[in-house]
């Protein structure tokens, strides 16, 4: 299974989102908000892109499931 560019972008966004949420949960540190501003247009865009990456990853997982016999 080879990943195309969109698959890699989605994976990177999911990693960024996952690490950010881990830091929020453990230390109450929102790295995206600290770098881009609290609910600024840029930080909201990152959050939206992470959400879209999650939806795309669901599609990717379903697409890669083996066909039913």
């Amino acid at each position: 299974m080879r990943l195309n560019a969109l698959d890699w972008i989605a994976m990177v966004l999911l990693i960024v989102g996952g690490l950010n949420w881990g830091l929020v949960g453990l230390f109450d540190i929102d790295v995206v908000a600290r770098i881009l501003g609290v609910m600024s247009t840029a930080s909201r865009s990152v959050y939206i892109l992470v959400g879209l990456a999650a939806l795309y990853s669901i599609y990717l997982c379903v697409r890669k499931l083996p066909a039913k016999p």
Side-chain angles (χ1 to χ4, degrees):
M1 174 177 98
R2 294 189 52 93
L3 300 177
N4 61 33
L6 184 58
D7 298 342
W8 280 106
I9 292 168
M11 188 178 303
V12 168
L13 285 168
L14 287 174
I15 291 169
V16 167
L19 291 174
N20 190 57
W21 276 110
L23 289 171
V24 169
L26 289 172
F27 305 111
D28 197 27
I29 298 171
D30 187 345
V31 177
V32 173
R34 285 196 180 193
I35 293 172
L36 301 174
V38 177
M39 293 315 269
S40 67
T41 302
S43 65
R44 289 175 59 99
S45 297
V46 170
Y47 297 137
I48 290 168
L49 288 173
V50 169
L52 291 173
L55 291 173
Y56 177 75
S57 295
I58 292 169
Y59 162 75
L60 185 65
C61 289
V62 170
R63 186 180 75 185
K64 297 296 182 184
L65 287 175
K68 292 184 180 180

